[in-house]
Amino acid sequence: MTTLLIDADYIVYKSCASAEYDIDYGEDVIVVGSSFKEAYANTTRELDKIKSEYFDSSIILFFSDSTNFRKQVASDYKGHRNRKKPCGYKRVINKLSESYRLIIMPTLEADDAMGIYATSNDDCIIVSPDKDMKQIPGTVYNLKETFTITEISGWQWFLIQTLAGDSTDGYSGAPGYGVKTSAKFFGENGYTWNSVVSAFASKGLTEKDALQNARLAKILTANDYDFETNRPILWTPTDASN
């Protein structure tokens, strides 16, 4: 049986946000309220829609931990995301735990937990609209289409994200390198760590800068996690990377 690994952070956030409403009492007082019933119904409707794409399947919901190991790599990682979770967010998660299997791994984002699970188990499909998941070898459903990521294409996307950075996650790459520019650069110079370092150097940046970006960009797989200590293994270039 196929197992759907669902990025539930995204679904619950969106579902709860759409169930919020404002109550304006005047005199500069506006209170935000929410319908839990609506928020939960929105969530289960989205999950049912996903499952309808794969009838013979089971579901695991993945959520990010409240502590993020990438903050140890760069303290300002996702620092611009200071908006609180929408009303009912935690309550919806608690309710989901009564009917679904949930996975939250210490210090990891949902992306990492999905990457580790998918590369540790067979017959999995990652369900996420996040482009970061294009790093993980296997099958991905981005809520629009299903496609396969190979080891090579996953490696190439990781290097592209390392060089281009990700403004959504609050870290910049080498100045002047967007996704398209980075893909063109690697196409001409090879998808290697040496290429990354040379691109950063051309902008007056060091290999240390490039390595920090790589560690922020890297979505974890089973090879990037110590199951005995339950801690991530920070990415480090090897001879094969060059």
Side-chain angles (χ1 to χ4, degrees):
M1 176 182 289
T2 299
T3 303
L4 304 180
L5 315 181
I6 299 179
D7 180 356
D9 275 341
Y10 166 79
I11 292 174
V12 174
Y13 190 102
K14 181 180 72 170
S15 297
C16 288
S18 66
E20 285 187 337
Y21 55 84
D22 295 339
I23 303 174
D24 190 343
Y25 289 101
E27 298 297 326
D28 293 329
V29 178
I30 300 175
V31 176
V32 177
S34 175
S35 166
F36 171 74
K37 182 178 180 180
E38 181 182 347
Y40 190 74
N42 290 344
T43 301
T44 55
R45 182 170 58 251
E46 290 298 316
L47 295 177
D48 288 343
K49 188 186 302 182
I50 291 170
K51 193 167 184 180
S52 70
E53 297 287 330
Y54 304 92
F55 292 104
D56 184 23
S57 62
S58 59
I59 284 179
I60 304 177
L61 306 183
F62 288 79
F63 292 93
S64 299
D65 189 27
S66 57
T67 302
N68 192 325
F69 80 91
R70 288 183 176 83
K71 291 284 189 179
Q72 301 301 315
V73 178
S75 59
D76 58 350
Y77 177 73
K78 289 190 175 179
H80 62 301
R81 294 192 184 184
N82 53 14
R83 186 185 186 280
K84 73 174 187 65
K85 293 289 194 296
C87 292
Y89 184 84
K90 289 185 179 179
R91 186 177 172 187
V92 167
I93 294 175
N94 290 337
K95 181 66 175 176
L96 287 169
S97 67
E98 298 175 7
S99 303
Y100 298 91
R101 180 184 174 190
L102 274 56
I103 290 182
I104 302 174
M105 298 180 69
T107 76
L108 303 189
E109 298 180 55
D111 292 352
D112 300 303
M114 288 190 292
I116 292 169
Y117 193 98
T119 52
S120 303
N121 296 273
D122 296 326
D123 297 323
C124 295
I125 297 177
I126 291 175
V127 181
S128 172
D130 195 330
K131 63 183 183 300
D132 292 349
M133 303 317 297
K134 290 165 63 178
Q135 291 185 28
I136 305 300
T139 304
V140 176
Y141 173 53
N142 66 359
L143 304 182
K144 294 181 180 179
E145 60 180 340
T146 301
F147 49 90
T148 299
I149 305 298
T150 65
E151 292 277 356
I152 292 176
S153 65
W155 165 252
Q156 291 176 342
W157 186 248
F158 160 58
L159 292 185
I160 288 172
Q161 288 193 294
T162 296
L163 183 54
D166 190 335
S167 59
T168 302
D169 288 339
Y171 68 95
S172 57
Y177 282 92
V179 170
K180 291 183 178 179
T181 307
S182 297
K184 180 180 179 181
F185 170 80
F186 286 120
E188 296 172 348
N189 296 276
Y191 282 87
T192 68
W193 179 245
N194 288 337
S195 295
V196 174
V197 174
S198 68
F200 272 78
S202 72
K203 301 298 180 178
L205 299 172
T206 66
E207 183 170 5
K208 183 178 179 180
D209 297 317
L211 183 58
Q212 181 184 67
N213 253 37
R215 289 174 169 175
L216 294 175
K218 185 72 169 68
I219 303 302
L220 305 185
T221 67
N223 292 329
D224 307 307
Y225 193 71
D226 187 329
F227 289 91
E228 292 186 2
T229 62
N230 293 323
R231 298 183 63 181
I233 300 170
L234 296 181
W235 187 83
T236 300
T238 63
D239 291 341
S241 306
N242 297 321

